[in-house]
Amino acid sequence: MTKKMTITSIKKSKGVTPLVMITAYDALFAKLLESSSDMILVGDSLNMSFAGKSDTLSATLEQMIYHTNAVAMGAKNSFIITDMPFGTYVNKKEALKNAITVFQQTTADALKIEGGEDKAHIIEHLCSNGIAVCGHIGLLPQAFRSEGGYKVKGRTKEEEEQLIKDAQAVERAGAFCMVIEGVKADVAAVVAKSVSIPVIGIGAGKDVDGQVLVFSDMLGLFEEFTPKFVKKYMNGAALVKKAVGQYADDVKSKEFPQDIHTY
Ligand code: KIV
């Protein structure tokens, strides 16, 4: 069994070894994923790949708590980060109230907040009240509707400068690491070098301090769309459909159950 990561070991890994983060939403998959991951993210992407919605915006605190508890049952030896859903950290007071609810009702080790300079005051408030925070800068899925789609960042000098300011503000506010999503690879590399905490990329190239992928994307289970940055490590959807098809054929032809499956 590998040793569970801590805030200290996560911070110390910067410049030493790339960090592996994977999302999980339930005990079954969390158990399967935990031996290969340094951190498990209970992402609000569950609203899409688990709950079938078209974006993350309607995910609720109750959903995040339910799924975090399921993941924690399956991955007892993992550092677990839970996403704070859209609308739950609009000001310091609300953010702390909701963060405390998640910390009291789950065993999450840290919470993730989307936003940079604009959310630094929230991150600072949570950190100074005993909540460990992972930042999330660059493309922010919770800004999908207000920005009119998923917009890759770092395409202009102004965007690059803002990303550096965002990363540094998140670090100064007390976050122990941050996700950087959907950013031009050369810019993400500069951003990662501009701070001393790990910067975990998704769609941000390889010159960052680790990578995160949504498990249902990397296992080829989510069929609605596949972002350019996803590498599919198996064609899960085809494997599942084939197996279930064989089961259905066996039931119809009475090939299943056989004597070995019968009391
Ligand atoms: O919700 C999620 O799964 C995430 C990852 C895309 C980083 O935030």
Side-chain angles (χ1 to χ4, degrees):
M1 192 187 275
T2 49
K3 207 159 166 256
K4 178 175 168 172
M5 295 296 278
T6 61
I7 303 262
T8 307
S9 61
I10 291 166
K11 280 174 145 179
K12 275 191 181 160
S13 68
K14 184 162 177 116
V16 179
T17 179
L19 289 162
V20 179
M21 189 193 278
I22 313 179
T23 70
Y25 316 131
D26 62 49
L28 182 71
F29 273 98
K31 196 167 186 177
L32 294 173
L33 304 172
E34 96 159 318
S35 62
S36 300
S37 52
D38 295 313
M39 287 175 269
I40 293 188
L41 171 66
V42 186
D44 58 357
S45 53
L46 62 82
N47 208 41
M48 298 160 83
S49 58
F50 184 87
K53 303 277 173 55
S54 58
D55 58 41
T56 61
L57 275 74
S58 57
T60 64
L61 208 62
E62 290 68 32
Q63 261 178 292
M64 301 313 299
I65 289 170
Y66 174 84
H67 286 280
T68 301
N69 282 324
V71 166
M73 290 305 290
K76 295 198 164 66
N77 201 35
S78 288
F79 189 96
I80 297 173
I81 303 176
T82 298
D83 255 342
M84 289 296 281
F86 178 69
T88 61
Y89 51 100
V90 289
N91 57 45
K92 292 203 291 190
K93 195 170 165 214
E94 277 291 297
L96 185 57
K97 180 171 79 67
N98 289 324
I100 288 175
T101 301
V102 179
F103 257 39
Q104 284 181 333
Q105 295 185 20
T106 72
T107 52
D109 296 287
L111 303 180
K112 180 161 77 61
I113 299 264
E114 290 188 13
E117 241 187 338
D118 59 329
K119 290 291 181 297
H121 63 297
I122 307 263
I123 297 174
E124 205 270 325
H125 192 53
L126 297 188
C127 292
S128 62
N129 282 283
I131 310 280
V133 177
C134 167
H136 184 150
I137 64 167
L139 184 160
L140 306 178
Q142 291 177 10
F144 168 71
R145 285 192 216 159
S146 60
E147 291 198 347
Y150 296 111
K151 301 275 161 59
V152 172
K153 298 285 158 65
R155 293 194 188 277
T156 62
K157 199 70 204 156
E158 291 72 42
E159 282 185 358
E160 174 173 349
E161 282 164 10
Q162 186 58 53
L163 283 163
I164 293 170
K165 281 188 201 158
D166 286 339
Q168 292 179 345
V170 166
E171 177 178 30
R172 260 196 318 276
F176 68 97
C177 76
M178 73 189 85
V179 165
I180 187 166
E181 177 165 2
V183 169
K184 298 268 293 166
D186 53 338
V187 173
V190 174
V191 173
K193 283 198 180 67
S194 76
V195 290
S196 59
I197 55 174
V199 176
I200 319 286
I202 175 163
K206 59 183 160 69
D207 293 324
V208 287
D209 307 307
Q211 297 292 329
V212 52
L213 279 180
V214 170
F215 87 95
S216 43
D217 287 339
M218 60 167 293
L219 299 182
L221 291 164
F222 186 68
E223 291 186 292
E224 312 310 311
F225 62 91
T226 306
K228 176 182 163 71
F229 58 77
V230 170
K231 178 171 176 183
K232 280 193 187 179
Y233 286 85
M234 63 184 256
N235 193 342
L239 289 173
V240 169
K241 284 181 192 170
K242 187 170 170 215
V244 176
Q246 282 168 353
Y247 164 64
D249 290 347
D250 283 357
V251 170
K252 290 194 190 301
S253 64
K254 289 201 166 257
E255 272 295 306
F256 174 81
Q258 296 193 349
D259 288 350
I260 50 159
H261 309 118
T262 306
Y263 295 109

